[in-house]
């Protein structure tokens, strides 16, 4: 008996505590969490630096409305802009809200309404971000969608060339499509998107909700390319588990959001800002990010050794510690077996296993996870994979 809407296909496991990469369920069973929640706890669960900062803030003040000045918001905004595109920040509470803000800002600044997004993209579940998302399953049963959005094939320059025009307010994309199967943008595509946006007076919005905050080995994934987006959005990893989101826009956009044009009651609240500030202290650090990239390469080569002999293995796509392993068959049963054997992993579409370990994962934990994966595949009695 549940009193919850059944809009999630929940696993029959309840996580009750966690520390770093390890979590424990209500029966006392331990797991290695290679999901970071769902790409959220990039510093691992209950990181002491974040716990200490938020615990102190809990004793001071929980909420002041956005009618007051906020040095905590200023502090986080400075860190975000310094490590990205400069400009200014609007704080909200989730990825969808950050994208909503980006879409509204682009439409208001340009005075145009068409926004181009891509097939297999994921931008959120609100009325606008659902329409922005390039996956039919997200929209089924909800009637007609906002006409603002046009969806094009990803990594296809000529499709974009044909569609983009002077009526286009913005092009919005993920650098690595997370929910849609861990598809990485090609350099050629990214460079062309920026060029075509410039030629047509359209803004470039990069949805960094999943790829940002160090996940790919850079503060934000667009920094792997010679790219300068007009707007980026962030959420998942930003508060290391405390809900918070942000939209960052370049200086020339600032006048388009004047008093009264947009807002959020809880956006930028003191607890969220404290969590974000503490998180960014540790993640926006070159040495830390280089290690993320190195651990990503190590995990990739070892995963390849394990999976290469399998006939149904199609390949590994990754940037930093964002992994998709594709197979020719469905992977749901494999995810369940891994969980039974103590490793939490995600799917990204039916045929892709997704690993998003905490960025703080140790080589020992990577090896332990690889051991579980190898063992699960070898256990012929349990896996018909
Ligand atoms: C998760 C996600 C979102 C939505 O974030 P919510 O916090 O669930 O609203 C948007 N874009 C991308 C790329 C995401 O991965």
């Amino acid at each position: 008996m549940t009193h919850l809407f059944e809009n999630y296909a929940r696993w029959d496991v309840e996580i009750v505590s966690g520390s770093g990469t390890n979590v424990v369920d209500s029966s006392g069973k331990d797991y290695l969490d290679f999901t970071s929640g769902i790409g959220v706890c990039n510093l691992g669960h209950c990181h002491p630096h974040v716990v200490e900062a938020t615990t102190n803030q809990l004793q001071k003040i929980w909420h002041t409305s956005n009618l007051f000045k906020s040095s905590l918001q200023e502090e986080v905004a400075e860190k975000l802009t310094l490590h990205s595109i400069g400009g200014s920040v609007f704080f909200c509470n989730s990825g969808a809200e950050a994208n909503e803000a980006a879409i509204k800002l682009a439409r208001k600044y340009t005075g145009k309404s068409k926004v181009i997004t891509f097939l297999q993209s994921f931008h959120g579940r609100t009325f606008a971000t659902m329409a922005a998302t390039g996956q039919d399953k997200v929209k089924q049963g909800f009637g007609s969608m906002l006409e603002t959005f046009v969806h094009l094939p990803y990594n296809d320059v000529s499709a974009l060339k044909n569609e983009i025009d002077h009526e286009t307010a913005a092009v919005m994309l993920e650098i690595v499509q997370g929910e849609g199967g861990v598809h990485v943008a090609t350099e050629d595509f990214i460079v062309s998107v920026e060029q075509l946006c410039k030629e047509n007076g359209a803004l470039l919005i990069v949805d960094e909700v999943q790829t940002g905050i160090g996940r790919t080995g850079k503060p934000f994934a667009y920094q792997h390319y010679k790219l300068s987006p007009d707007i980026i959005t962030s959420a998942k990893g930003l508060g290391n588990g405390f809900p918070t989101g942000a939209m960052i826009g370049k200086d020339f956009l600032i006048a388009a959001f004047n008093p009264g044009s947009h807002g959020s009651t809880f956006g930028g609240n003191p607890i969220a800002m404290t969590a974000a500030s503490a998180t960014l202290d540790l993640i926006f650090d070159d040495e830390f990010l280089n290690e993320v990239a190195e651990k990503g390469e190590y995990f990739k080569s070892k995963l390849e050794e394990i999976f290469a002999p399998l006939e149904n293995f199609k390949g590994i796509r990754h940037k930093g510690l964002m992994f998709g392993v594709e197979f020719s068959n469905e992977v749901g049963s494999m995810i369940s077996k891994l969980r039974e054997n103590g490793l939490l992993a995600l799917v990204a579409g039916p045929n892709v296993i997704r690993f998003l370990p905490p960025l703080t994962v140790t080589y020992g934990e990577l090896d332990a996870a690889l051991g579980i994966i190898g063992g699960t595949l070898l256990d012929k009695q349990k896996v018909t994979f």
Side-chain angles (χ1 to χ4, degrees), residues 93-97 99 122-125 174 178-179 207-211 235-236:
N93 312 287
S94 68
E97 283 179 59
N99 288 336
F122 184 80
H123 298 297
R125 303 279 193 168
E174 298 155 90
E179 305 298 311
D207 178 345
E208 293 267 8
V209 170
Q210 189 162 155
T211 50
K236 289 195 167 83

Side-chain angles (χ1 to χ4, degrees), residues 366-383:
L366 290 172
D367 287 341
L370 290 160
I372 293 173
I373 296 165
T376 304
L377 285 173
L378 283 176
D379 191 351
K380 289 277 191 297
Q381 281 174 318
K382 285 178 103 182
V383 184

Side-chain angles (χ1 to χ4, degrees), residues 75-299:
E75 182 181 309
V76 179
E78 192 178 341
K79 290 178 187 177
L80 285 172
T81 54
L82 191 67
H83 291 91
S84 63
I85 56 174
S88 291
V89 181
F90 165 77
F91 287 109
C92 50
N93 312 287
S94 68
E97 283 179 59
N99 288 336
E100 286 276 343
I103 294 160
K104 283 180 70 175
L105 179 62
R107 288 177 51 130
K108 190 146 187 293
Y109 174 79
T110 60
K112 302 171 192 171
S113 63
K114 178 160 124 184
V115 176
I116 296 174
T117 64
F118 296 92
L119 297 173
Q120 303 148 357
S121 63
F122 184 80
H123 298 297
R125 303 279 193 168
T126 60
F127 198 59
T129 60
M130 163 179 70
T133 292
Q135 301 184 50
D136 287 341
K137 66 176 187 198
V138 167
K139 309 177 188 191
Q140 256 161 31
F142 293 105
S144 60
M145 290 289 128
L146 291 170
E147 286 173 7
T148 286
F149 300 99
V150 178
H151 304 101
L152 300 179
Y154 192 62
N155 280 335
D156 183 338
V157 177
S158 64
L160 182 61
K161 240 181 216 158
N162 289 336
E163 183 62 40
I164 195 168
D165 56 20
H166 291 282
E167 297 309 309
T168 307
V171 176
M172 179 159 86
L173 83 168
E174 298 155 90
I175 298 291
V176 183
Q177 292 185 322
E179 305 298 311
V182 192
H183 299 285
V184 184
T186 63
E187 173 112 42
D188 179 41
F189 179 63
I190 286 297
V191 170
S192 304
V193 170
E194 183 173 54
Q195 185 61 32
L196 288 166
C197 282
K198 285 215 173 88
E199 283 169 23
N200 288 277
L203 299 179
L204 175 56
I205 304 171
V206 177
D207 178 345
E208 293 267 8
V209 170
Q210 189 162 155
T211 50
I213 318 298
R215 173 55 56 192
T216 70
K218 300 270 186 196
F220 294 96
Y222 80 85
Q223 292 160 336
H224 288 283
Y225 306 87
K226 277 203 199 72
L227 188 69
S228 181
D230 300 304
I231 299 172
I232 63 174
T233 56
S234 178
K236 289 195 167 83
L238 182 55
N240 206 52
F242 201 92
T244 184
M247 177 200 65
I248 308 164
K250 279 188 174 165
D251 280 330
F252 72 91
L253 297 164
I254 288 168
F257 263 9
N258 53 324
S261 55
H262 196 51
S264 163
T265 296
F266 291 125
N269 96 70
I271 317 291
M273 291 298 98
T274 309
S277 187
T279 302
L280 299 184
D281 278 346
L282 301 183
I283 289 187
F284 287 173
D285 174 87
D286 286 344
E287 208 174 308
F288 180 88
L289 292 169
N290 286 340
E291 276 175 35
V292 170
E294 280 164 22
K295 287 185 278 196
E297 293 310 319
Y298 175 78
F299 195 52

